[in-house]
Each structure stands twice: as C-alpha cells, then as structure tokens.
Amino acid sequence: MGRNTKKRTQTWWKEAVVYEIYPASFKDSNDDGIGDIPGIVSKLDYLRDLGVDVIHICPHYQSPQVDMGYDISNYEEIHEPYGTVEDVQTLIDAAHGLGMKIIFDLVINHSSNMHKWFQESRSSKSSPKRDWYFWRPPKIDADGNRHPPNNWRSHFTVPAWTWDEVTQEYYLHIYAPEMPDFNWENKQTREAIYNTSITFWLKRGIDGFRIDTVNKYSKNVSFPDAEITNPKEETQPAWRHYNHGPRIHEFLGEMKDIFDQYSALTVGELSSFPRTKEGVMEFVSSRTGPLNMVFNFDISDLGQKRKPGQKGPVPFDVQPFKQEMSRWQTFASDPEGWITLYLENHDAPRSLSRFGRDFSLEDQTRVGKMLAMIMATMTGTLFLYQGQEIGMSNLPRSWPIDEYKDIRSVNMYKRAQQTCAGKPECLARARDDLWKTARDHARLPMQWNMGPNSGFTSEGVTPWMRVHDDWEQHNVELQLGNSSSLLEFWKRILKLRKEYKELFIYGAYKLVESQEEDLFIFVKEGPERKSLTVVNFSNSPKKWEGPSDILGVGSRLLLGTTGGKEGDVLNAWEGRVYLKSS
C-alpha cells in the first residue's frame, strides 16, 4: 500500500465528532412550539454520552426568518423565540464545562434586508453605506422597458436583482430578495462584518465557525451576462461569476488572521466544489490554506442532481458513492490536506431515504448501522446531524404540500404549478422531485420520547413543523440502553473510532475491488494495525472475499452490524469491521 512519507499532524479537531443542531427543531423548553437555546442546554448530557466533541449551532441570530435564520438582521442579538445573548453564553459555558467545544454558523455573504446597514444603504444614493451592497441602474430596452442589470438567476427566486422604488435602482441578491449581498470590495464593509459576526462571538468563547457560502464573497463586479444555457428562460445560472471570485483568497486570508488569534476551528461550505485536488488545497492546505476543512458537496449531491436532459434527480447509485468516498480518502492521504465526513445536514434529505426505498423498520436500523460503520472507519472529521443517530428519515410522501415550509420548497412548487398548469402528471412528477431533494426533511422536530409530540414540546402545543409519523418507532427513549438499537451502535462505534484513532482517523486507505458492485470493501492501515471494513449496500445476501493478509491468522471481528454468523456471505445491509495487528 502506497503511503506518504511526510508525517501527518494530529490535532483535536481532526479527531472530533461534530454534531449539528438546528435550533428550531431540537428541543422546545418553553412550550411555544419552537426549539430554543435553553432546550439545547437541557440535552448536553445526552450529546456528551453519545460521544460528541463539538456542537455546531445553526443560525440563531436575530432574523425575520425568511430563510430560517440565514437572513440575519443583527449578528450580536438572538432570534427572540430562541432566547437571549445570556442564554447563549450559558450554552457556551455549559458545553465547555462538559468538555465539549461549540461552533456557530458564520453567514456573511449577505444580510437580511431588515439589517440596519441595508436600511441605511437603501435610504438614498448618497448614503455613506450605499456601497456596502451592490446597487446598479436598470437596463432600458429600445421600447423604454426597464430590465435588471444582467441576466443572473438567484438560488431561490428569479432574477438575482430586485427593483427598489426608493432610489430607483436594482440591488443584487444571490439568494432571496430579502437577503441582499454584501459588497466585499469595500474594505470598510469587510471590517464591520468581521467585528460584528466573528470577533464579537470569539471573545465570548466560542471555538470556531461553520462558514456559510465560503466561496461567494468575491464576485465578478463587472456583472457580465451569464452564458445562455436555456434560451427559453430570461435568467440564466451565473455561478461562474460569483463563485471562486478573483479576491476570494484575499478575503479569506483576512478572516484567517482573526481566526488564528483565537485558534478557531473553521469548516467551509464550499459549493461548486472544485474537481481537482489543487482546487480544494487552495482552501484547506495546512501550509497555505485559509480553512481547516470544507464540506465535500460531491458526496451530498449524489442522488440529488439532474443530469443534462434528465427530468428528475439521478437515483442514488452505490458505484459513484464508492468512487467519491475513495477519491477524497486519497486526497486526505496528503499530510497537508484534510476532509469532512458527513451524510446529512440541515440542507439535505435524510441519508436513510437517499436510496430511494421505503425501508421496513428493521431495514432502517440495518442501513443506519451500515452507514455509521462506513463513516466511523474512514479518515476525516466526522459530522453528525441531529436525529441521524436514531435513524430519522424523510417526511412521508403522503403529507400535503403545505407541510413543506422551506422557502426553496415553496418557490419550487409555485414554479411547478405555473409550468405544469393543466398537466396533473407533470405536477405529480414535480412534487416527487421536490420530495427527493427538499430541505424540509432535515428540519422536522427531533424525536425524544414516546410522549406527545415525541417530547420535542409539550402536549397540546403545535410544533412549528409537524412531527414525523414514525416517532413511536424512532425516538431516543426507545433506543437508549437497547443494545440492538442504532443509537447504541453509534455510541459503540464512536468509542472504537477514538480507541483506534491511529487506524480509523489517521490510517492509510485502500479500496478493495469486488465483482459485486453492491459491496463496499476497504482497508485502513496504521502503524501497528490494519482493519478491513466490508458492507453490503443491497437488500439481498452477497458472497464476498477479502485480502488474506487481514482475514488470516491473528485477525478478529471487531464489530458487526448484525448478530449473524461470520462467514463469506453478508446479509442484506450487513457490515463488519475486522482488525489485525501488524
């Protein structure tokens, strides 16, 4: 097995298990139907016992909640239903008291249109903060009609420009109209952003940030028209003009200077993920990169993206999954590089539903354990999303469309209604596509117990989002202490991951080829041991064989996902990890 001769630096954040919390949906402490900061505090012991080292809190700042807190109106205040700054300080101190660290979301590509800076910016063309956002005059056609400055399309609505009657100009928003983009070309703007969103919270003791849209701050400010890829549409995808812009590493370098003063952990949300090792290294190189690590969107996009000419998302396929996981395990073999390991977050459907099947309860547990085994025995920093540890799945297909609350889902369905007017089959396909990709799946309330509302909130209270129909089968109370449960399996395998960190976290990776496409087999090699992970990604038994140097004399089964016998046949969704000392 080829191994890099340079020594890899070992550090706490590489070995950490990070648990992402969506505040509105985690735990309601005051019976208003919305999760809150005191609710998170009440569950810290649970997180510590699970094996969590770092808590990641999604946006909890003051916000009109157009995009669930990613539209921030004040970085130094808290969204009122969530609590107060004092409550957040209590959370920081309590987490530290239990030996856990805490990171916040850093959302600084844009603000809310209710932020005082934008209100000042739009007040007049002569406002001192006019240049803190992007304002441009309209284009006027030969008939005297007004048009946006260019043909860019936004992520949530079209176009990426909104007309403002106050000063008779358009402003830019890569996301919703209520989320205007900051002008990062203005140094005064950047310094104000750093002070209010970064330094303010680092001084209060947080340990770092998950950085939202980390590659969008630098844009092509000549604002050229985007290439026309769909002649029938007035607006066009323009990501090439606002991702990986010419000054992005300059801006991130300024931020890194602040992060380094506090030894802050940084993980970037890197959309339009670079396809080359060199492109990713620009962001995460331990010598020259501004960030510790980034999220690999190539993994989360599997089963989510359309191919050219295809009507719906590409179904999940095991082979591309193995290829992508292996590709980035190879990337992590470079001592200057590091990666994240994750299958779920607040923006993605649940991993148990990514296979496009309606699993039985037993199979849901088997699949959850299989996925846990893959993730826990690979190199990289491991990220879990709330509810993943108990096997929460997508909301039922039978739920009415008004149960979808996310701005992206609402806008997608409105557009589908227009496109599919009078065509029931077209609308049914659009709704199915929405179900496959909706962010709402991850935002259903956490399922804590067998009581009303599954313990998320009290009896008689209406949660802000409906509790999943399967809450009686999937909840913490039911699984806690049950040796065959997914929750207890996660606890065991996270302990093993740390016990054998030289192998699972830092060991060298090698994919073992198999004639069975549904089998995923890989070896990890450390200084003193080797391991073999084998999982069956199918609902039928599969014969398998592995390398004799690991499965021979002196090897043992470290952990299996089922109580079945060892042998050359893997049951449906079964996984095993073998261990051998060198």
Side-chain angles (χ1 to χ4, degrees), residues 480-496:
L480 203 59
N482 179 348
S483 61
S484 64
S485 73
L486 178 57
L487 175 60
E488 293 298 333
F489 186 85
W490 267 111
K491 287 184 179 182
R492 287 199 299 277
I493 202 161
L494 291 180
K495 286 180 181 178
L496 288 174

Side-chain angles (χ1 to χ4, degrees), residues 169-183:
E169 284 192 330
Y170 285 92
Y171 64 87
L172 177 72
H173 51 88
I174 297 304
Y175 293 93
E178 297 87 353
M179 302 160 69
D181 282 41
F182 283 122
N183 177 10

Side-chain angles (χ1 to χ4, degrees), residues 272-290:
S272 300
F273 199 76
R275 295 300 301 169
T276 64
K277 173 182 176 179
E278 294 73 21
V280 180
M281 274 295 189
E282 287 185 359
F283 289 90
V284 302
S285 167
S286 58
R287 287 189 309 107
T288 59

Side-chain angles (χ1 to χ4, degrees), residues 397-411:
R397 291 176 184 263
S398 60
W399 281 14
I401 198 68
D402 59 7
E403 297 289 358
Y404 292 77
K405 310 295 185 185
D406 175 43
I407 182 175
R408 175 180 172 273
S409 299
V410 171
N411 287 338

Side-chain angles (χ1 to χ4, degrees), residues 313-462:
V314 179
F316 181 89
D317 187 20
V318 178
Q319 203 63 20
F321 178 80
K322 291 192 290 188
Q323 292 170 354
E324 282 301 321
M325 296 298 283
S326 297
R327 185 159 73 98
W328 295 107
Q329 287 294 291
T330 302
F331 173 87
S333 68
D334 189 321
E336 287 186 21
W338 196 249
I339 63 166
T340 56
L341 295 168
Y342 80 104
L343 291 179
E344 296 189 16
N345 63 30
H346 65 283
D347 277 340
R350 291 291 186 171
S351 56
L352 288 187
S353 302
R354 289 272 294 283
F355 299 97
R357 297 181 176 93
D358 295 320
F359 293 115
S360 67
L361 178 61
E362 181 181 2
D363 279 350
Q364 282 183 321
T365 301
R366 286 171 173 261
V367 173
K369 290 179 180 180
M370 176 197 71
L371 294 173
M373 179 168 282
I374 293 171
M375 304 304 282
T377 57
M378 282 191 166
T379 297
T381 300
L382 180 57
F383 287 75
L384 288 175
Y385 181 71
Q386 65 183 49
Q388 184 178 353
E389 75 276 18
I390 60 171
M392 289 183 67
S393 58
N394 285 1
L395 60 84
R397 291 176 184 263
S398 60
W399 281 14
I401 198 68
D402 59 7
E403 297 289 358
Y404 292 77
K405 310 295 185 185
D406 175 43
I407 182 175
R408 175 180 172 273
S409 299
V410 171
N411 287 338
M412 280 180 66
Y413 194 71
K414 284 182 179 177
R415 192 171 184 184
Q417 286 178 308
Q418 296 170 356
T419 304
C420 299
K423 303 174 184 176
E425 291 183 2
C426 172
L427 190 60
R429 283 196 304 270
R431 179 168 171 173
D432 187 59
D433 286 352
L434 173 59
W435 183 88
K436 291 174 182 175
T437 62
R439 305 192 301 180
D440 305 78
H441 299 304
R443 303 177 182 190
L444 269 59
M446 179 69 178
Q447 295 162 203
W448 290 106
N449 60 38
M450 301 291 287
N453 288 317
S454 198
F456 166 70
T457 189
S458 296
E459 184 175 7
V461 177
T462 301

Side-chain angles (χ1 to χ4, degrees), residues 2 33 71 82 89 99 155 166 176 229 269 285 296 328 332 349 368 373 408 483 490 541 575:
D71 50 317
Y82 294 167
Q89 190 64 57
H155 287 274
V166 176
T229 55
E269 182 198 30
S285 167
N296 178 3
W328 295 107
M373 179 168 282
R408 175 180 172 273
S483 61
W490 267 111

